[in-house]
Each structure stands twice: as structure tokens, then as C-alpha cells.
Amino acid sequence: MTTLSSSTGPLLQVENLCIDVTLVGGKKTVPAVRNVSFQVEAGEAVGLVGESGSGKSLTLRTILGILPNGVRATSGRVLFEGVDLLKAPKRTVNRLRGTGITMIFQEPMTSLNPIAKVGEQIVDAARAKHSWSKSEAGEHALSLARHMGIPDPENTLSLYPHELSGGLRQRVMIAAALACQPKLVLCDEPTTALDVTIQAQIIRLLVQLKDELGMSMLYVTHDLAVVAQLCQRLEVMYAGSIVESGLVRDVFRQPDHPYTQGLARATPDVDAVVDQLTGIRGNAPTLGNWPHGCAFHPRCDYATDECRTGNFPLRETSTGRASACIHIDRLHESMAKEGSR
Amino acid sequence: MTVTILDFNDVTVSFMARRGKTKKPINAADHVTFSVRKGEIFGLVGESGSGKSTLARLAVGLNSAASGSVVFDGMVLANGKRPRPLRRRIQMVFQDPFSSLDPRMTVRQQLMEVLKVHDAIPAGERAAHCEKIFAQVELPISLLDARPSQMSGGQRQRVAIARALLLSPELLVADEPVSALDVSVQAGIVQLFADLRSQLGVSIFFIAHDLAVVRHLCDRVAVMYMGKIVEEATTDQLFSNPRHPYTRALLDSIPRLLPDAHEQVVAPEGEPPSLSRLPSGCRFRSRCPNATEKCVSEEPSLIAVTSTEANSSHLASCHYANDLEVYVGRNRTS
């Protein structure tokens, strides 16, 4: 296998990615992702955070080349170990699926085959890339299942997906995804459909797997708190663009974008009570109806006339951090005032 | 003496579960007793399958109780279809505003239909009443002629709340009304419920799985696990001094918005058992870090927690509710 890869450079580098969506009826095409750039280093976990319609899931799907019909990456590059996946021949991309990049989906019930035993599905995933015999792959599946904390694996692997609980199904999905030792795992809200105690178990499992196997993770979610548990860095998306980027630790101490601040404030804190829960006023813009200028300006407390027109690319605010907001000083000032009260 | 508006007295709700050729009843709610007081927001929390929605649906008459009684404002509610004047007094808000509204009718048509069916208001005053309620849920009047597909999730949920409020109910049953919404609009809906209670004095029976939302909104909370209430207390007591291991496990599992949270992921062991194969004794014992022989042999009942606060009614169904060590939240260390 040819790898242009180098010891230098990130494992995954997305550059100026733009994605268009053709609306129902096929007449109108609107942007869904605009000039998105970010990278994932080897061994790193990056959170891609945004609400519904922000373009986070489409960005994730582009990487694996599994965009739905009517959705197309129009420009930009997706470099995995130096290979541009948007331009690479299908064969190359196919070879990378499973061994290089893999994906864990939100709803294991719709991603697993309902009429195949779950053990077979892990075996199939392993045999797709390795020239293993059935029994070798079976051994591998069993050891994977043990590793995933699946209780009584010999018995559980001979069951069908509908016979398993949501948490177990998700463990099976993760086992199948990791069957070929991928370098990068894409996660599309894998815990959103789970109960909170099971979510905590799956998060703990992912943290542990990441540390043990040294794999990289790109984790899409709407939940900032889940990112806090799993990721070192995060990228915040709003209306198809990244509006803030930085280390989780830094961003949570002091956000550099009013949207990130609003999102953190809107998340109710279970350890403290506030007099009034503040959401972000208005509603997130829908596809095709993005405001001009900074897309967040109609909902922003700091917006000025300047925000209504023009482009607001990410700009470095301090080492390793970037924000698309031009009013960071005022944002920080008001946060400092609140903090001192 | 506090006045209650809704009482569940030893209520059991059964469903027939088919396993192969045999049918066997399972109890989605199992001998449950608690009350919602007049003018309060009462939260019922639990994970999927705990029975919380079953009780919400029972309150509005969408389920039947196998035994026990549901009492609304002093009246025992019979199973089956309820007379219209009674239905007016208890209204429901469902979880998913995408499926609880009619996609082919404008919002105005849907609201007017409710008023027409119940004939609670003279025909001439109905339009004005719709607009008044619309303002109450903080929606622009222009949206009255929109269809649900033209609205965002948050707006749709406000419409669903408006529809429930049209008949000036005394009790609002809200079944996970914010869990399908984006975080940035969820806070606004939670605040709306709080405002409606203080402005209209309506009592709210609020079902949720999100403890953080409950903490911000509710006066009292009950926690359900596998069809049983495991703990009931005022919100302050429940969060500051949880006395059931399951409540503690729930609290510990919630991901926190903290910079170094990844260093302290806490997760309880095991999965909830199946309702058709419950463990003997305490239902939580298979996942409980403190389980003993007594928990295997003897099912705990709700007992009063000896609390420092006078006049409190803090109940927990754990043999060791009063012996557990002081709860230190996993993030209280710093």
C-alpha cells in the first residue's frame, strides 16, 4: 500500500471543505458546509460540536465518502495521511475503510444487520480486510467482544441485534468498527440514543480504547459536556462554518465566540441552580436561509452593523485558538463583569 | 395540610408481554404511590423503560391501571374514556412536536378545532382567545397562519403548549417536552414552563430523563427505576443529599461541562434488568455497589429519610437509605 504519509503532518487534515445540498425538487442547491478547515493529529480526540443543521454530520460523512444522494462536496481537500480522499480513486478509499478510517453511528439498530447474528457481523468486518479464516476471525471477534466489556461473549455473539439492549448493541458496533485496527474513528453521536448511565459506560469505554490503542477520534455531538469527557480539542460549528476552535480546557474556561458562550449557558448545570436559565434567543437558521455576514448575528448580544455584511473567517486569538468573532474584547469584558458579581 | 391535585395510590399498570407462545403480564408501573400538589411542578425522572411515561399517560387517561387508583382533585378517575369536562382540566404536552401536530392544518385551525370540540368559549371570542394564548407562549401572531413544517422545533413545542393551555387546564402533564429540542432553544421552553406556573398557577407533572432540567424547574422530584419509585424528595434535598444508590448513580453519570472532565468519567456497572426477569429483592441490587444479602432476599419499601430539615418528606426505597455515607458529588472536590 502506498502511503505518501509522513511522520510529520496531521493524520487527518480537512481544508476549505464546502458541501452543497440539493433541496427537495432538485431545482435549488444551497450550501450546507462552508470553508471548513481543521485537523486531527495521531492519537488525538477532537470534538465537532453543533446543533441540528450545523453541518457537523455532513462534514463527518464526507471524510468516509458516504454522503447521501443530493449532497456533494464541491471544493476543498480531505487529506488522510497525505492522500486527498475527495480525489482519490474509489479503490484507494475503499481500502482505507475499516483499516484507516472507520465510523460509529448514532443508532446501532439501523446500522447493524437485523437478520445476522452480531458475532458474524464482527467477523465479516474483520475478514473484509484480513485474509483470516473464519475460525481465526471468530477468535478475533471473541477477544474484541471481551475487550468491549460484552458480558458472556460466547453466548452474546450468537444473538441477533434485536435481542440485545441499546448499550450492548453499541458495544457490538464499536467492536465491528475496530475489527481492523483503524487509525481514525469517526463517531456520529454514538451515545445520544442511550440512557445516561449507559452513555457514561460507553464514554468510559471509548476513553479507555483510545488510550490503549492510540487511535484518533473525531467525535460529532451536540453535547458540550460529552466533549469535555472525551476530547482534547473542539471545533464549534454554526450554520455550516467553524466559529471557534481550541483546546477543550481553554474554551470552557473562557469561550472566544458568543455562540459557544450561549451554548454553554443554555446547558443546564446539574450541580448548581441559577435564577433564570438563558437560552439563545431566536432559532438556528435553516438550510438555505442563512443570514448574511456573520450567520449568528441575529441571535447575538454583541452584534453591531459590522457583523451584518462580509465574511468572518476563523482568526487566531491566542496560541492554538481561533474564533470567527470580531467582538471578542467586548465578549470577554462582559464575562469578566459577570464573573466579578 | 398541603392540597394535592393528582394522587397515585398504589397504582399498577400491566402490559401483556409475548415471549414465544406464552403471554405474561409485566408491570410497567408497580404499586406506585405519590402526589402532585396544587400549584407545584413535580418532576418524575427515570431512564427509558422505568415507567415514567406510562404514569404520564395514565394521568390523562391514555392507559388503564390494573390496580390502585388515580385521584384528580378529590375525584377517583375511572379507567377508560373520560367525560369531556374532565379532559379539559388535565391537558398533555408530548415529547415530539414533529408528530404531535397535524402537518396539514395551520396552527390557527388546530387551535380553533380544540375550542370548537370542547365548546368552552363562545364562537365569537375564540379567535381572540387563540391570540391571547399565543402571546402567552411568546410566539409572534404572524405564525398563527403557518403550518408546523414552516416552524422550528422550539416554535412547534410552543404551539403544542399553547394547544394544551387553550382550555385553561388545572394540571399540565408534560412528557419529556424538551428532550427532542436543540440545547439553545431547550432553555427557553424550560423557562416558559416556570413562567406559566407562576403566571397561571397551573400545576405541572413534568416527566424527564434529564436531571439537570429537573433541578432547574421542579419543586419536588421522584426517581423511578424499573416501575418503582426509588426516591422522592424536594429538589434541594434530592440533589444535595440523595439517599438511594440509583439516584447517586444517575447523578454521577451525567457528563459535566468541566475543563478536565475526561479525567473522571464515572459510570455505574451493568445494565437495567428486563421487566419480565426482575432480580429478587431490590430491583437495583444487580447494579448496586452496596448490595448485601438482605437486598437479595427482601424488597425494600419507601422509608422516610431521617433528615435534619424539619417538616420534610424525603423517602427512599433502600434498606440502607439512612446508613449511606454522605454523598460527595464527583465534581464537588474542587
Side-chain angles (χ1 to χ4, degrees):
Chain A
M1 182 168 147
T2 50
T3 24
L4 303 170
S5 142
S6 32
S7 42
T8 64
L11 183 68
L12 176 79
Q13 185 158 17
V14 175
E15 285 177 357
N16 300 316
L17 180 67
C18 294
I19 301 175
D20 279 359
V21 171
T22 306
L23 296 182
V24 181
K27 292 220 174 84
K28 206 173 155 204
T29 298
V30 297
V33 169
R34 297 183 286 194
N35 275 318
V36 160
S37 301
F38 65 92
Q39 56 191 46
V40 182
E41 307 280 351
E44 185 185 39
V46 176
L48 198 55
V49 181
E51 296 180 280
S52 33
S54 61
K56 56 190 195 304
S57 285
L58 289 182
T59 302
L60 198 70
R61 279 159 188 267
T62 309
I63 298 166
L64 212 53
I66 50 168
L67 284 174
N69 282 339
V71 184
R72 209 166 57 88
T74 50
S75 64
R77 300 203 293 172
V78 175
L79 300 170
F80 181 76
E81 296 188 315
V83 181
D84 186 354
L85 299 179
L86 295 184
K87 297 228 173 63
K90 256 196 176 151
R91 223 159 40 100
T92 314
V93 179
N94 252 336
R95 203 165 45 203
L96 284 174
R97 290 186 180 140
T99 53
I101 311 175
T102 189
M103 186 146 165
I104 304 169
F105 296 88
Q106 177 174 349
E107 218 343 294
M109 199 58 216
T110 54
S111 332
L112 292 171
N113 181 350
I115 55 165
K117 292 174 181 168
V118 294
E120 288 170 22
Q121 304 192 46
I122 303 175
V123 166
D124 284 348
R127 290 187 75 204
K129 303 287 150 145
H130 293 288
S131 51
W132 282 339
S133 72
K134 268 208 166 153
S135 63
E136 278 171 329
E139 283 298 308
H140 184 60
L142 210 54
S143 83
L144 267 172
R146 267 190 214 107
H147 209 126
M148 300 304 137
I150 295 174
D152 188 12
E154 286 87 354
N155 178 37
T156 308
L157 291 190
S158 66
L159 298 174
Y160 291 91
H162 78 267
E163 297 177 284
L164 303 180
S165 66
L168 268 182
R169 269 181 227 142
Q170 201 53 286
R171 285 176 199 268
V172 167
M173 269 262 287
I174 296 171
L178 301 185
C180 300
Q181 290 108 17
K183 293 175 186 157
L184 173 65
V185 182
L186 309 175
C187 302
D188 192 2
E189 308 223 24
T191 65
T192 306
L194 302 175
D195 277 323
V196 63
T197 57
I198 308 298
Q199 164 172 289
Q201 291 175 358
I202 297 292
I203 289 175
R204 192 177 55 186
L205 174 67
L206 288 172
V207 169
Q208 176 198 331
L209 289 171
K210 190 181 91 58
D211 292 345
E212 283 172 15
L213 310 175
M215 62 194 193
S216 306
M217 253 167 44
L218 181 58
Y219 197 98
V220 159
T221 177
H222 67 275
D223 191 340
L224 277 175
V226 169
V227 168
Q229 297 202 303
L230 267 166
C231 303
Q232 285 85 54
R233 273 195 317 115
L234 91 159
E235 312 282 339
V236 182
M237 280 187 89
Y238 187 79
S241 300
I242 292 178
V243 295
E244 170 154 18
S245 158
L247 287 174
V248 169
R249 194 186 311 135
D250 299 339
V251 174
F252 285 2
R253 287 214 174 101
Q254 186 179 53
D256 275 351
H257 197 284
Y259 176 63
T260 317
Q261 184 205 28
L263 211 53
R265 270 200 197 158
T267 311
D269 182 354
V270 74
D271 298 315
V273 191
V274 291
D275 296 339
Q276 181 121 18
L277 205 54
T278 14
I280 305 176
R281 65 162 189 265
N283 291 288
T286 51
L287 222 55
N289 300 310
W290 288 343
H292 288 289
C294 168
F296 188 59
H297 84 256
R299 307 177 73 189
C300 182
D301 290 337
Y302 306 92
T304 58
D305 279 343
E306 238 182 307
C307 304
R308 292 175 217 286
T309 51
N311 286 319
F312 297 89
L314 274 181
R315 294 176 309 161
E316 189 169 60
T317 53
S318 56
T319 317
R321 295 192 65 178
S323 164
C325 183
I326 54 172
H327 295 305
I328 299 175
D329 294 345
R330 283 172 50 221
L331 173 72
H332 287 176
E333 217 173 275
S334 91
M335 282 194 289
K337 252 188 227 158
E338 264 175 40
S340 64
R341 252 192 313 194
Chain B
M1 184 72 200
T2 40
V3 187
T4 61
I5 187 151
L6 184 71
D7 306 84
F8 291 91
N9 297 325
D10 203 26
V11 167
T12 299
V13 181
S14 308
F15 296 105
M16 287 309 247
R18 201 166 57 93
R19 230 185 148 73
K21 278 183 183 161
T22 57
K23 274 190 177 175
K24 196 181 141 201
I26 54 160
N27 295 341
D30 198 347
H31 298 281
V32 170
T33 300
F34 65 91
S35 299
V36 180
R37 297 175 188 163
K38 261 191 185 142
E40 82 171 345
I41 306 183
F42 184 88
L44 185 61
V45 195
E47 298 182 280
S48 44
S50 61
K52 57 190 193 303
S53 288
T54 301
L55 291 177
R57 296 173 69 86
L58 181 63
V60 294
L62 290 169
N63 281 338
S64 298
S67 68
S69 64
V70 184
V71 178
F72 172 73
D73 200 21
M75 274 178 293
V76 175
L77 299 180
N79 286 331
K81 195 165 178 181
R82 298 178 180 170
R84 207 166 271 159
L86 177 60
R87 296 212 301 267
R88 237 177 256 166
R89 303 174 65 189
I90 312 175
Q91 288 286 309
M92 183 148 181
V93 178
F94 294 90
Q95 173 175 0
D96 182 7
F98 294 80
S99 56
S100 64
L101 298 174
D102 189 324
R104 299 172 43 139
M105 289 166 92
T106 67
V107 169
R108 188 189 296 276
Q109 285 166 343
Q110 308 196 33
L111 298 185
M112 293 295 270
E113 186 184 41
V114 174
L115 292 175
K116 201 173 149 201
V117 166
H118 283 272
D119 198 20
I121 291 175
E125 295 165 27
R126 285 175 193 159
H129 186 65
C130 283
E131 291 182 11
K132 189 185 116 201
I133 299 288
F134 227 54
Q136 221 151 39
V137 298
E138 294 154 27
L139 282 175
I141 299 297
S142 58
L143 280 179
L144 259 176
D145 292 304
R147 275 171 231 280
S149 60
Q150 294 160 285
M151 309 174 93
S152 70
Q155 289 170 335
R156 279 182 238 204
Q157 197 57 289
R158 283 176 196 269
V159 170
I161 295 169
R163 185 178 59 184
L165 290 175
L166 276 177
L167 301 164
S168 317
E170 290 147 68
L171 176 69
L172 212 52
V173 179
D175 190 4
E176 304 235 21
V178 298
S179 40
L181 305 175
D182 270 330
V183 186
S184 73
V185 295
Q186 178 182 309
I189 302 288
V190 170
Q191 198 58 49
L192 177 63
F193 277 108
D195 294 344
L196 290 175
R197 190 267 300 264
S198 48
Q199 286 161 16
L200 309 175
V202 59
S203 315
I204 303 176
F205 180 26
F206 192 90
I207 318 296
H209 68 265
D210 186 339
L211 280 167
V213 166
V214 163
R215 175 159 209 183
H216 282 271
L217 185 65
C218 300
D219 304 308
R220 289 192 307 128
V221 186
V223 180
M224 268 190 106
Y225 185 73
M226 306 309 292
K228 286 269 190 198
I229 303 278
V230 296
E231 186 158 5
E232 183 191 329
T234 63
T235 307
D236 282 347
Q237 285 169 340
L238 189 95
F239 284 88
S240 62
N241 183 25
R243 287 278 117 195
H244 195 286
Y246 177 62
T247 312
R248 294 180 174 202
L250 271 182
L251 282 171
D252 287 342
S253 300
I254 298 168
R256 303 306 209 272
L257 243 182
L258 288 173
D260 296 309
H262 60 275
E263 287 161 19
Q264 32 183 324
V265 182
V266 182
E269 297 303 319
E271 302 213 346
S274 153
L275 272 176
S276 57
R277 270 167 299 176
L278 286 171
S280 65
C282 174
R283 298 173 182 211
F284 187 60
R285 70 162 167 89
S286 54
R287 303 176 73 191
C288 184
N290 312 327
T292 63
E293 284 296 320
K294 190 178 180 188
C295 305
V296 178
S297 57
E298 202 178 312
E299 181 159 16
S301 52
L302 276 172
I303 55 168
V305 169
T306 43
S307 164
T308 44
E309 253 177 86
N311 200 4
S312 67
S313 61
H314 188 165
L315 305 172
S317 69
C318 174
H319 295 307
Y320 304 102
N322 285 313
D323 307 328
L324 289 178
E325 53 195 82
V326 174
Y327 179 69
V328 186
R330 56 176 209 153
N331 292 304
R332 308 274 171 85
T333 41
S334 54

